[in-house]
Structure formats: structure tokens, C-alpha cells
Amino acid sequence: MGSDRFDVLREQVRGQVIEEDDAEYEAARLVFNGMINRRPAAVLRVSQVADVLAAVRFARGLGIDVAVRAGGHSAPGFGTVDGGLVLDLSALRGVRVDPAARLARVEPGATWADYNHATHAFGLASTGGIVGTTGVAGLTLGGGIGYLARKYGLACDNLVSADVVLSDGTFVTASEAENVDLFWALRGGGGNFGVVTSMEFRLHPVDMVHIGIIFFDASIGTQVGAAYREWLAAEPEEMGAFLGFHLGPPAPFLPEEWHGKPVAVIAGMWTGDLDAGPANWQAMLDAGPVLGSFFAPMPYPALNIMFDGLNIPGLQGYWKADFLRSLSDDVLRVAVEHASGIPSVHSANHFYPIDGAVHRVAPEATAFAYRDVNFAPVIAGQWPEPAENEKNIAWVRKYWAALHEFSEPGGYINFQDADDQSRIEDTLGSNYARLAELKAKYDPDNFFHVNQNIKPATAGSATAAVPVRQPAVLQAEAVPEEARHADAAPPKANPAEGAAM
């Protein structure tokens, strides 16, 4: 196991294998969250699917951990791992659109900015993230909340098929026609079941939209939030907008005296007839004294990248998340009480609506089980200085503890942090038992455990009804799992360590 241990892998891949002595190593090991400081044994910059097949077999043979990195936005830093092999998919960013069939085929390293740019050329889109730099694959595997969710469902609801490299190094396609159980698990079960190397999405006609952003003093956030709650419930599903609490950003339409001060914001878009856009925002303009606002018809991708400047790589990050049945007065009170402590202009508390089309999918139809809640709140703490980690993490935790009193047991998996692993059964809810069975079938050794981890159902347990898939012959002798990770748990994370918007 000397410094030449990755030479065999180099012979089997076309991508670059980077180790600690290589000049590119320091850049190659970084992920979006600057708080994550892990040192993998090697990073493979994947060039094609054949590299993934070879790398999975190689890592299994050596008995080393594997982390899969696509967009790299995972707040807990699941795109890297100490002492293991990182499969960096970020170079695979192609998007192929079939406008006649309204389908898009996406490579695993593509971001939502890549995806939206390609599909918008044909006046098409599907539900994606809130910022353009988020990876398509990671967001979709965790469900996928976005501005179009009320109208067209979650990102995973628009998934048609996925190509997957399994833990035994074999390649399969999952869809409604083949490997149906795996396809079910991929839609909300996270990265537990394999390396997704391609995704196909159903597209919808979305072209120009009417964007709206309205700022209020955070001190009247309960009043604004109550108006937002009533307004959104009455709005057609063509309206997709979130309620947030921030420090005022340096936006030209927000007076300078409010830059850096606590504000409440309504932001989103109307996807119906453009001429009807202004009238649909009027109720929120009447909700209280407006500090500043911006309205304009714009291409849909413009909204998706509008907040990228506040979500830059390298910031320290710690996130918490929940699900809410309603945006109650108590929830709004908690939000206003904690708004004064927002640590930086990069931090935020958002309440994302997940009603409408999201509710029209049965809880058992996909792995994403929370189909009867109305909001997914996130407390995204992000700040530049490591010296302020303790203070800012404490703010996020205190805020979340107060909010959780009025929340469901689980939370949106893409917004959770490393210390939310203990909530995995609550997060996956009524679908957890079936997911554990499928984990035993497709990844019985828990090879893919650098994630919000689903442990395989064990023989004789109430969830062990699915037959276990036999691994393929490996190219090197495998190290027993108990010698690698005795409890098959994710690598222990720094409690200060931080998912994707």
C-alpha cells in the first residue's frame, strides 16, 4: 500500500489520478464548503463512464472509501473523504435536448446553470435548484426543490431514467421499464445506491417568466409572512416564490442604508402569461412598507443564477432543515426573533413551498415521502471567517432548535448537515424500511456510505425481504467490511462541519 498503489487505476482509466504529491492536489481536494478540510488518498477526475466502472472495482479491491463529487455543493462535504478515493465527475457537464420528445439527457457533473442554458434554447425547463452552481445529480437524488415545484413537481418527479454504476462495479439503467425498484429508490434516497452517470428528464414549456423580488424590514416579518402564507395559497401554481430572511444584500434596488441589516424577502417568479405577472405580485406589495423591489420579465435561467454571487465557493458553511405543514404564526415568530442574529450577507433562512404538483404524487410513489407538507425551511449559515465558526454554528443550532418545535420529525435531505445522520429514518419517513431493503439488494456491504446513509437491512430483520445482489468478481482481494468500517456508518465528521440549494 505504498505511493504506487494507484498505478493500477491509472492504467485502467483515461481521467487524471491526483495524489497528495501532485501539484493539482490542493485544488482537487476542495469542495464548495470551505469548512471541509479532508485529505483523500487520491482524486480521480473522471473522463467517461468506463473510468467510474474501473474506479469502483479498484476501490473495492483495496477496501478504501469512495466519495462521489458532482456539483460539490454538499454542505456536509460528502464529495470528499479522508484517506479514500474521490470520483470527481465535474468535467462531465454535457446536456443533450430532444425538443420534439421534450426530454433532456444530462451528464453527472452538469450544474443547473448548464442544464437551464441548454433547455432554454428550446423554451423548455424542469424543476431545478435555487442557485445555478448546484449540481443536477445531487439535487435530484435528494428530491429536488425549486421555483417550478408547485407547477411541475420536484426534480425527481421529472426524472425519466438514470444510468447507474452499482457497488459491484456493474452498469445498469433504472426507469419505469427496468430496475424499477432502483428507479424508485433514486428519487429521494440520495447517493446510497450507486454512482449515477447519466440522467434523463421530462421537460415542460417554460421560457420568459415574470420575476419578482420584494424587501421588507425583518421586524415586520410576522406580518409579511402571514400575508405571504395567504397570498401563495390563493395563487395559481404558476407562481413559485419563497419567503426568506437575510441581511440586506448590495442590490441596486435596495437602499444602501438597508445593506447589511435584517430584511424579509419574497423572491420568485410567475410562469403564466407575462402580462398577468404584475397583478399577481400586487398582494405582496400591499403586505407592508416596501424597502425595495425588482420586477421584470426575464428568461427563466436568469432567476436561477441571480443569487449565485451570495453563494460563492470557500465560505464556511453549516446548515439545518425541516419540513413544515404550515407557516404558522409561531414559525414566523421564531424566524423574526432569530433574524437579528443572521451571521453574514451570505447566510439565510428560506421557506420553500412544496405544495401543488408535489402533493399530487403519492408518498409511496417515490422515495421522497413527505408529500403532504407545505414548506421546506432551511437555515443556511455561511460566512467567510473560520474564526467565527463557533459563534455562527451556535446561531444555526439555536434557530433550528426553536423552529423544530413546530416542524415534522424529518427534514429535506439536501439541506441537512453531517450531524443530521441520526435523523435519517425520520427524514425518509414511511419509505425508510423499503429503502433499507433495497440498500441490502443493491449495496449489501454499504460501499456507498459517504452520504446521509441508509444502512442495509440485515438478514432476519423486518426489512430484509429483498434478495441481496451478489457482487461481481473484483480485480483485487477485498478487505472484509468489518475491517474497513465496523459499523458500516459514514466517516465520523467534525461536529462543526456542514446540501444543496
Side-chain angles (χ1 to χ4, degrees):
M1 301 289 285
S3 60
D4 62 347
R5 61 177 168 159
F6 289 99
D7 286 349
V8 171
L9 180 60
R10 288 189 178 91
E11 294 171 358
Q12 297 175 342
V13 300
R14 293 183 67 86
Q16 183 183 13
V17 179
I18 302 169
E19 293 186 78
E20 193 164 6
D21 292 338
D22 294 323
E24 301 97 326
Y25 178 79
E26 286 302 319
R29 75 183 183 91
L30 297 179
V31 290
F32 204 85
N33 185 352
M35 192 182 290
I36 307 301
N37 188 33
R38 298 187 187 129
R39 304 191 70 85
V43 176
L44 169 60
R45 287 178 171 162
V46 173
S47 71
Q48 55 186 264
V49 176
D51 289 359
V52 179
L53 293 165
V56 168
R57 293 166 184 163
F58 174 84
R60 287 212 62 151
L62 285 185
I64 60 175
D65 292 335
V66 166
V68 181
R69 181 193 307 161
H73 263 247
S74 165
F78 290 143
T80 188
V81 60
D82 280 324
L85 176 63
V86 173
L87 303 186
D88 182 354
L89 306 169
S90 61
L92 304 180
R93 298 176 68 165
V95 182
R96 182 183 180 276
V97 179
D98 181 344
R102 290 186 177 175
L103 295 172
R105 172 68 65 176
V106 187
E107 291 187 320
T111 65
W112 285 105
D114 297 326
Y115 180 90
N116 292 331
H117 177 73
T119 61
H120 182 71
F122 303 95
L124 300 169
S126 61
T127 306
I130 303 300
V131 296
T133 53
T134 305
V136 173
L139 187 92
T140 302
L141 293 175
I145 293 170
Y147 295 109
L148 292 169
R150 298 185 74 225
K151 180 68 174 176
Y152 296 120
L154 303 172
C156 72
D157 298 334
N158 292 279
L159 187 66
V160 175
S161 69
D163 293 338
V164 188
V165 175
L166 300 175
S167 64
D168 60 7
T170 58
F171 176 91
V172 299
T173 296
S175 69
E176 293 287 6
E178 51 186 326
N179 297 299
V180 177
D181 55 357
L182 177 61
F183 184 57
W184 178 88
L186 293 175
R187 290 174 290 166
N192 276 278
F193 300 94
V195 184
V196 173
T197 60
S198 179
M199 289 178 149
E200 187 177 30
F201 290 91
R202 183 180 304 105
L203 296 169
H204 309 278
V206 179
D207 193 353
M208 296 293 289
V209 298
H210 194 272
I211 289 174
I213 303 173
I214 313 171
F215 285 107
F216 304 88
D217 185 340
S219 67
I220 63 166
T222 52
Q223 173 184 326
V224 171
Y228 166 80
R229 178 179 64 208
E230 303 305 318
W231 167 73
L232 193 70
E235 278 290 307
E237 293 171 5
E238 284 78 9
M239 178 60 75
F242 66 82
L243 167 67
F245 291 85
H246 287 250
L247 296 184
F253 53 89
L254 180 66
E256 189 172 348
E257 61 265 29
W258 282 96
H259 294 182
K261 293 183 179 178
V263 295
V265 60
I266 307 297
M269 65 183 186
W270 166 258
T271 63
D273 179 70
L274 285 179
D275 291 339
N280 281 276
W281 289 103
Q282 189 59 49
M284 287 314 305
L285 287 170
D286 296 337
V290 173
L291 301 178
S293 63
F294 172 82
F295 298 98
M298 297 178 71
Y300 165 64
L303 178 61
N304 188 234
I305 64 173
M306 190 168 285
F307 303 113
D308 286 8
L310 297 175
N311 292 273
I312 56 177
L315 293 172
Q316 307 294 295
Y318 181 75
W319 295 36
K320 301 294 280 186
D322 270 321
F323 285 121
L324 292 169
R325 294 200 175 275
S326 67
L327 200 61
S328 68
D329 292 344
D330 285 327
V331 166
L332 295 172
R333 173 183 52 77
V334 168
V336 171
E337 286 174 356
H338 290 81
S340 61
I342 295 174
S344 83
V345 71
H346 306 284
S347 296
N349 162 221
H350 287 175
F351 297 92
Y352 294 108
I354 49 172
D355 56 343
V358 180
H359 286 188
R360 291 194 290 274
V361 178
E364 67 277 6
T366 68
F368 189 96
Y370 276 89
R371 299 287 184 167
D372 59 351
V373 294
N374 288 297
F375 293 94
V378 59
I379 305 168
Q382 300 181 133
W383 58 93
E385 296 299 329
E388 298 185 353
N389 285 5
E390 184 176 351
K391 177 183 71 174
N392 291 321
I393 290 169
W395 172 79
V396 175
R397 287 177 171 166
K398 183 179 179 181
Y399 192 164
W400 176 79
L403 186 65
H404 189 62
E405 181 179 346
F406 308 103
S407 305
E408 296 299 294
Y412 180 42
I413 199 168
N414 285 339
F415 289 160
Q416 293 187 337
D417 221 300
D419 53 8
D420 286 306
Q421 174 60 40
S422 61
R423 300 176 66 197
I424 188 66
E425 293 190 34
D426 287 332
T427 289
L428 297 170
S430 58
N431 289 329
Y432 183 83
R434 184 181 177 193
L435 285 162
E437 293 173 354
L438 292 173
K439 180 74 170 179
K441 177 181 179 180
Y442 287 101
D443 186 15
D445 300 322
N446 205 11
F447 178 76
F448 295 111
H449 62 265
V450 185
N451 46 45
Q452 297 288 5
N453 191 237
I454 301 166
K455 294 185 179 181
T458 57
S461 73
T463 59
V466 178
V468 172
R469 181 184 179 87
Q470 294 301 314
V473 176
L474 303 177
Q475 297 187 32
E477 183 176 352
V479 176
E481 177 67 14
E482 59 269 24
R484 191 163 60 88
H485 275 287
D487 61 353
K492 186 175 181 181
N494 185 320
E497 289 179 352
M501 276 188 172

